[in-house]
Amino acid sequence: MKKLTTLAFFTVFLFSCSPFTKEAYLERFEDFMDEVSVEYRQYDESQWVKADKKFERLTGQWYDRYKDELSSREKLTISGYKVRYKTYKGIKKIDSAFQDLF
């Protein structure tokens, strides 16, 4: 019984973390980018590590799951998100470098 409960908990946890549809995936990616665009200047190293992990899931595992369903426009939107994320991360590194210099 204990193994069954553990298995059920793990299954619920696993599926509650990943989007079930392409639309949910796109919405989750958009929400993530909205959050990063507002907060990136305040992120410390640990927050960037967490953001990087989520970004990796969004552009790796979850993208692979839905890539065959995505339209060209949606793929272009995701490419734009990738560029924006890298830009925010780069800006933060430049800001930190200037603060270290002065």
Side-chain angles (χ1 to χ4, degrees):
M1 184 67 176
K2 186 175 181 180
K3 288 182 181 181
L4 183 61
T5 304
T6 303
L7 180 61
F9 174 77
F10 178 73
T11 303
V12 169
F13 176 75
L14 178 67
F15 285 107
S16 69
C17 293
S18 66
F20 287 110
T21 65
K22 173 187 81 164
E23 290 76 16
Y25 162 70
L26 292 169
E27 185 175 325
R28 189 171 290 189
F29 207 151
E30 181 180 14
D31 291 346
F32 171 72
M33 288 308 303
D34 289 345
E35 178 184 326
V36 171
S37 69
V38 171
E39 301 292 333
Y40 76 96
R41 289 193 186 271
Q42 286 78 37
Y43 279 5
D44 61 20
E45 189 62 32
S46 67
Q47 289 167 312
W48 276 116
V49 169
K50 289 178 187 176
D52 285 344
K53 286 179 183 177
K54 189 165 189 175
F55 182 75
E56 291 298 321
R57 277 194 309 269
L58 287 163
T59 59
Q61 169 188 358
W62 293 347
Y63 177 81
D64 290 343
R65 183 180 299 165
Y66 299 109
K67 69 182 173 190
D68 294 335
E69 300 174 38
L70 296 169
S71 69
S72 296
R73 183 181 177 129
E74 291 165 335
K75 288 178 181 179
L76 187 59
T77 298
I78 290 169
S79 294
Y81 290 159
K82 290 177 182 180
V83 170
R84 282 179 51 202
Y85 183 81
K86 299 291 184 176
T87 300
Y88 293 138
K89 194 165 182 182
I91 289 170
K92 181 62 178 179
K93 287 181 181 183
I94 291 169
D95 285 349
S96 294
F98 277 116
Q99 288 177 4
D100 290 344
L101 288 174
F102 302 105

